[in-house]
Structure formats: structure tokens, C-alpha cells
Amino acid sequence: MSELTKLNDIQLDVFKEIGSIGAGHAAKALSELVNRPVQLNVPSVGVFTFDHLLDHLGGADHPILASVFRVEDDVKGWMFVLFEHEAARYLLAELLGETNVSNWEEDLAVSAIGEIGNIVLGAYLTALNQLTGLRMAPSIPNVVFDMVGAVLSQGLAEASPYGNEVLLIDTTFVEADHATSQFLFMPDLESYSRLLTALGMGKV
């Protein structure tokens, strides 16, 4: 049994609450950005094997557009803002008036997706900092258009020395046409313990 498998239901509920607060801030920020309501689903939290995680996200070969962040300081790990193509098209249409994006690597599209990723990430980091008092310093976003397996590979590779499980806070944003984006948080094992201790939940 890995350390992550030992997380109990109450501890998982704490991470779910963090996800809910962060998602609420992110949805509000996105709504203001695109000038129309952005709805969100209640986040799910669970311990996934690497293979199960990739299946959950549509399979290792599923294409995705992502803003990828490395987080350092009191909490270390990886954060990902993943966009299905329809969600990216919707957001770019609202921001840039562009409805037919054929090249996701164009500078304007990359810049816009990176900025949206920054807004979503900032909302989650604010929620985490307010609840824990822990410092989290994100890197500049790396915007990637690739398969899910390739996008998540670095974070999964770093997690692998601690076992074959990853704790996933998974929030789905749903706009009018049901296009979705997801926020994924993969802190390292030491950071799980630090987060739980800061929340008064004891160590992993």
C-alpha cells in the first residue's frame, strides 16, 4: 500500500473543499474575462493509478491544449489547466473574436491560452494560500498542444518514486455548449503532508 492510498475520506473531502473554493474563484474570474457566466461542476477528488488517470482524461493519445506550471516554495508539484478543443475555441472566440483556430501554436492563441491558464491557476493558489498559509510560487506557463500522456509525463515521472498513485483534484468548467476544461493539481508526497498539517488534518 502506498502512502497516498492511506488518505482517508475526511482528508479527501478537505482537498475537495479546496477544489470547490478554487473552482469558484476561477469560474468568477473567467466569467469576468469572457463577459458571460461560466458554470462549473463540483470537483471530484481521488487517488488514481497512472494508467487510470490517463484513461480518466480520455486516454494517453487524446489530444489536448494545456497550460503547464511547476510550483515551488512551501508546496511543490505540478499544476495543469487542460482545454478540450471546443473549450479553447470558445474562449479564444470570446477573447480574440477568432472562431476557426487551425494552428494552436500561433503566437496569439498561445498567449491567450497562457493568460487564461494564469487566471485559473491564480484563483486556485489564492484559495490554497488562504486556507493553509503556505506559499506557492508558480513558473511561467508552458502552453502545449499534445497528447495527454505527453503533457502529463513530467509530473507523472516525478511522482513515480513515491508509488504508482496520484492524488487528483479534478474540476470541470462547463460553458454554454458543454465544452470543458480541467484543473489538475499533482503535489509531491511531502507537500501532501504539509498541506494536511496546515489544515489541521494530520500528516499522510
Side-chain angles (χ1 to χ4, degrees):
M1 179 181 292
S2 78
E3 294 298 315
L4 294 185
T5 307
K6 298 175 185 177
L7 286 173
N8 61 42
D9 290 341
I10 295 176
Q11 291 169 332
L12 288 174
D13 283 343
V14 169
F15 282 109
K16 184 174 181 178
E17 180 63 19
I18 290 171
S20 294
I21 294 170
H25 290 325
K28 180 180 179 181
L30 285 175
S31 296
E32 293 172 353
L33 183 67
V34 302
N35 198 31
R36 61 186 285 188
V38 175
Q39 298 177 337
L40 57 96
N41 292 335
V42 175
S44 61
V45 176
V47 177
F48 288 75
T49 65
F50 297 163
D51 289 342
H52 187 191
L53 174 65
L54 294 175
D55 288 342
H56 176 75
L57 297 173
D61 295 336
H62 182 64
I64 205 80
L65 191 67
S67 283
V68 182
F69 302 83
R70 174 66 183 169
V71 180
E72 298 287 351
D73 215 328
D74 292 337
V75 175
K76 297 179 174 62
W78 291 88
M79 294 186 176
F80 304 84
V81 184
L82 306 180
F83 300 93
E84 294 287 346
H85 289 181
E86 289 307 311
R89 285 191 178 93
Y90 160 73
L91 291 168
L92 291 177
E94 293 293 327
L95 289 173
L96 307 175
E98 177 60 71
T99 59
N100 185 24
V101 180
S102 58
N103 182 4
W104 295 107
E105 296 181 353
E106 290 178 356
D107 289 344
L108 196 57
V110 168
S111 178
I113 291 298
E115 181 59 27
I116 294 167
N118 270 328
I119 290 171
V120 174
L121 176 77
Y124 276 91
L125 291 185
T126 296
L128 281 164
N129 176 260
Q130 289 175 345
L131 289 169
T132 66
L134 296 173
R135 298 184 302 270
M136 286 153 275
S139 66
I140 295 172
N142 181 25
V143 179
V144 181
F145 173 53
D146 209 331
M147 296 177 291
V148 167
V151 171
L152 300 184
S153 61
Q154 190 166 9
L156 293 176
E158 288 198 5
S160 62
Y162 306 112
N164 190 37
E165 287 88 23
V166 172
L167 179 68
L168 176 66
I169 300 176
D170 183 354
T171 305
T172 302
F173 294 86
V174 184
E175 57 95 0
D177 297 324
H178 303 289
T180 63
S181 65
Q182 294 166 306
F183 174 82
L184 310 181
F185 178 31
M186 297 196 316
D188 64 23
L189 186 62
E190 183 179 350
S191 294
Y192 291 133
S193 294
R194 194 166 290 153
L195 284 165
L196 289 169
T197 300
L199 292 163
M201 299 298 298
K203 295 184 178 181
V204 176

